[in-house]
Amino acid sequence: MREAWRRCLDPRDRPAPPLKWTSAAPPGDRRELRRWRAAVGPARVGAAGERGVPGAGVSREGLPGAEPGGRRLRVVSWNVRVGGGAVRSLWGRLAGRGGIAAGCPVVLLLQEVFAGGPHLPAVAAGSAWAERISDRPPGEDRTDIVSFAGETGLHLVYVPSMRNGRPDDGGPPEDRGNAILANVPLSSPQAIELPFERQRRVAVAATVAFGAGTVAFCSVHLDNRAPWTRMWRSLGVARRRQMAGLLTVFAGPEAEDAPGRPDAYALGGDFNTWFRGRAESTYRVARKRFPQPERPDSAPTHRLEIGGWLRHSDHLLFRLPAGWRGECRRLDHAFGSDHYPLAGTVERRTGSGSAPRTDLSVNRG
């Protein structure tokens, strides 16, 4: 019997083709990673089918698939706080009339989403898990990522990183991790297991056709601190190690000359750069590989639990070919999460070699 974490199901609980697993963790981390793997369920890959338009990448909200000559693609990165963020409300505003996703392909890079159901394994002795987070979003029910994909008809790649809750805490069986959703088909799904620090972290990557080319996306969530026995690593060393591991795989040096490599890359997620924000080495290492946007939005993104002050924790970065441009700004509504979404645009070159400036505003409806 294949271990649950290696299985792959679609949003309708049917067997799905396996995604590509890549480990960026050194051999010394494997023993601890095995303990965390043992408590999570399968990855979820595919489209719900019935509620979307099969093969077209069109959601129930009526968003179009990628046009062969399309020049604009939207992307949103957001930490959903394990269901505490009102993901339905965010999607409604993005996809509604006047929203930034109306009329073009859109990709969601989400962190701290969750999934439940009968496919999660029983927690065995020696397994590891995270303390439960089960916040309720404002104005809607708490929504697991598989149900959300089914409701909207969006294409989904979800890979759990850790069990959400102790086995004896009375809550339902859940795991949590990162996801990519899109109103256009997602291809080449990949799970990238990061170096272990305090909790198991798995980044998720997938590719979207964009005009005659492709864009590779990655959703990542780094540890906010190191174990108490190595607390000094919480000031940046732990996160830098995880980011360095990720960058050996996603847009790694070998991608430069690889046949069939994507034309562009987008990296979004919660880097947890709470110590020095964009001055932290974790961000600077990523920025060297992903140099756009040239002028990131200066607005902080995460409200610290103690004291309520805001910090730069979330980032959306691009690696684009000449003539392409990536822009990003923070939305001004957190939708119930402790993180604000980041909304960005990737634009291909026009006939004149430059792309028009775009409005990144979200529908206030």
Side-chain angles (χ1 to χ4, degrees):
M1 180 72 178
R2 172 177 284 191
E3 295 171 289
W5 70 275
R6 283 194 172 275
R7 296 177 62 207
C8 197
L9 302 176
D10 71 9
R12 297 174 65 190
D13 293 340
R14 302 172 301 188
L19 47 68
K20 180 180 179 181
W21 275 93
T22 305
S23 177
D29 290 354
R30 291 174 186 168
R31 179 178 178 182
E32 197 62 40
L33 287 170
R34 280 196 294 268
R35 298 179 58 234
W36 291 77
R37 292 172 187 161
V40 301
R44 310 301 287 258
V45 178
E50 286 185 348
R51 301 190 181 187
V53 178
V58 182
S59 75
R60 191 170 57 184
E61 282 73 13
L63 292 175
E67 299 176 5
R71 293 193 175 95
R72 181 176 300 168
L73 183 151
R74 306 290 197 181
V75 55
V76 174
S77 181
W78 187 35
N79 183 318
V80 186
R81 182 63 181 176
V82 197
V87 65
R88 290 190 186 97
S89 296
L90 173 68
W91 179 247
R93 293 197 180 188
L94 294 175
R97 185 180 300 275
I100 67 172
C104 73
V106 59
V107 178
L108 304 180
L109 307 179
L110 302 183
Q111 303 86 49
E112 283 199 336
V113 296
F114 75 98
H119 305 289
L120 272 74
V123 179
S127 300
W129 55 82
E131 293 297 325
R132 185 177 297 273
I133 299 176
S134 56
D135 294 352
R136 299 286 173 178
E140 64 184 58
D141 294 333
R142 185 170 178 262
T143 306
D144 72 88
I145 198 62
V146 179
S147 297
F148 176 69
E151 291 172 10
T152 57
L154 294 174
H155 297 262
L156 168 69
V157 179
Y158 162 71
V159 181
S161 293
M162 64 193 77
R163 188 76 168 218
N164 185 40
R166 292 176 164 274
D168 58 353
D169 68 3
E174 296 176 350
D175 53 29
R176 68 192 202 222
N178 301 316
I180 300 177
L181 298 97
N183 65 333
V184 290
L186 296 167
S187 61
S188 304
Q190 184 177 15
I192 306 169
E193 195 171 50
L194 302 185
F196 184 83
E197 288 291 332
R198 186 174 71 93
Q199 295 175 325
R200 180 173 179 257
R201 303 285 177 172
V202 182
V204 178
T207 301
V208 166
F210 184 40
T214 56
V215 182
F217 293 88
C218 182
S219 177
V220 66
H221 186 193
L222 306 181
D223 270 317
N224 64 343
R225 67 171 178 84
W228 294 116
T229 54
R230 296 179 293 168
M231 197 59 183
W232 61 273
R233 296 176 63 84
S234 300
L235 301 182
V237 174
R239 291 182 290 279
R240 179 187 174 116
R241 178 172 175 261
Q242 290 179 325
M243 178 59 72
L246 173 66
L247 296 181
T248 63
V249 179
F250 186 71
E254 70 281 358
E256 293 295 326
D257 300 315
R261 67 180 176 84
D263 298 279
Y265 297 85
L267 173 64
D270 180 2
F271 294 7
N272 263 311
T273 47
W274 59 267
F275 179 51
R276 299 176 64 202
R278 291 181 181 146
E280 191 174 305
S281 60
T282 305
Y283 176 81
R284 290 188 282 108
V285 166
R287 186 75 164 145
K288 287 180 181 179
R289 191 70 56 83
F290 299 89
Q292 290 184 291
E294 295 180 4
R295 297 179 180 85
D297 192 334
S298 61
T301 61
H302 179 214
R303 192 172 301 281
L304 191 66
E305 293 84 351
I306 301 173
W309 53 274
L310 286 165
R311 63 184 184 176
H312 284 103
S313 179
D314 307 86
H315 308 279
L316 180 57
L317 304 175
F318 307 104
R319 179 180 177 87
L320 306 174
W324 293 40
R325 186 175 67 230
E327 295 183 347
C328 172
R329 82 166 181 86
R330 193 203 79 177
L331 300 185
D332 58 7
H333 194 328
F335 297 91
S337 176
D338 53 348
H339 292 256
Y340 288 85
L342 295 172
T345 300
V346 174
E347 290 178 307
R348 297 167 56 238
R349 63 173 64 89
T350 63
S352 62
S354 62
R357 295 197 63 82
T358 59
D359 178 16
L360 291 176
S361 61
V362 67
N363 175 28
R364 303 297 176 195

